[in-house]
Amino acid sequence: MTSLRSRRALPGIAAAFIMALAAAPLAAQTTTVTASDPWVREVPAGRATTGMFVLLKNAGPTERRVLSGKADVGDTLELHEMKRDNGMMRMSPVPAIVVPANGEVDLRPGGFHLMLFGLKKPLAVGDTVRATLTLDDGSEVRLVAPVRAMRMP
Amino acid sequence: MRSRPAILRAATLAVLVTGAAGCARTESPGMDFALTDHNGAPFTLQSQRGKALLVFFGYTMCPDVCPTTLSKLATVTRRLGDKAGGVRTLYITVDPERDTPEVLKADLSLFTLDAVGLTGTRAEVDAVAKQFGATYEIVPTPQSAAKYSVSHSTTLYLLDQEGRLRQTFPYEATVDEVTAGVQAVLTGATPNS
């Protein structure tokens, strides 16, 4: 009886252990990274590319890295950087964007930003884009970004 | 060691001489070039005589530098008020394979700006960039959906009503700075020096 019970219990314990492991990334979703003021630049008919911008803040003591993302409006979301280099403006995809511990990174025109490719339709002011960024700890940051016109003060 | 400052002095002198020649309004000829506008029609710079021109090079695939510049120039236009009719923007692509007239036209439709989008063959665009001293570089990005990006210089050029280069602005130039430069050209003031 006893031996039978323990033999039966073993798979159960193993399953619970595996479930706990599987749940670990979920638990990490109480991420310390939050998004504020997300927006997407409007896109005219005939264009399939735009930029997405957001301020990411990290309230935790550990640096986090944005590794990838996806958006509901396009095929591809990529992490890009624009920088001045010897009088040239260089745009390039980057493998990750760091959100410093107890700090923030401002994804905005002129620096790090998110690029959306393969847009299926124009985006006008008033539209909303939903996107998800995936961090290096497996957690996700969700964005609900209004479409804006680019305006200078 | 001694020769180096001498070379620097010579270079400085050459720049000053060139600059002085550029300021002599009666002697310096205006620029000219031929490209295709955003409606697919032939375009020559000569056809713009009488307007002050703001000229910059870019490409539409990366919606950052170019929309920012177009947006800045739209604001400059608003600042100019009823003088705005005297100035036109020329937006010259350095990515003519992707930036067809249709693509340029779509981009410009987002801005309240008297702008002409210009494209052409690679050779035509190269010749115009060379006239201005603008540079660009195609950078393959196989890991990106864009396949390649185009690094480019971001100088904004201000030409007067006769097609002569009067002033350049870095990308970081403010609306106030660009507006002041355009106003100087519109009122026939001497160029900044």
Side-chain angles (χ1 to χ4, degrees), chain B residues 12-166:
Chain B
T12 308
L13 188 65
V15 168
L16 287 174
V17 168
T18 311
C23 292
R25 304 189 67 186
T26 50
E27 291 164 25
S28 106
M31 303 170 82
D32 197 19
F33 59 76
L35 286 170
T36 302
D37 76 12
H38 61 259
N39 291 313
F43 174 95
T44 63
L45 188 66
Q46 180 74 36
S47 69
Q48 303 300 303
R49 295 293 191 263
K51 293 251 185 198
L53 300 173
L54 287 161
V55 182
F56 74 101
F57 295 80
Y59 74 123
T60 64
M61 192 72 173
C62 271
D64 199 334
V65 174
C66 298
T68 301
T69 303
L70 288 167
S71 173
K72 185 195 290 182
L73 298 185
T75 308
V76 168
T77 297
R78 285 204 303 279
R79 293 275 177 87
L80 289 170
D82 53 10
K83 286 190 195 161
V87 61
R88 179 165 287 154
T89 295
L90 306 184
Y91 170 24
I92 303 172
T93 182
V94 288
D95 186 12
E97 281 81 12
R98 289 191 293 219
D99 287 346
T100 60
E102 294 75 21
V103 169
L104 289 170
K105 189 171 186 170
D107 253 38
L108 290 174
S109 72
L110 295 178
F111 301 91
T112 308
L113 184 65
D114 183 10
V116 182
L118 294 171
T119 185
T121 65
R122 177 64 67 186
E124 287 169 342
V125 168
D126 284 352
V128 177
K130 196 176 172 188
Q131 275 190 56
F132 281 86
T135 54
Y136 71 93
E137 182 189 347
I138 307 285
V139 182
T141 54
Q143 72 274 40
S144 169
K147 300 290 185 284
Y148 63 91
S149 72
V150 189
S151 298
H152 59 95
S153 54
T154 53
T155 301
L156 177 67
Y157 305 89
L158 173 60
L159 273 55
D160 68 15
Q161 294 85 342
E162 282 78 46
R164 293 176 301 228
L165 181 61
R166 289 281 292 274

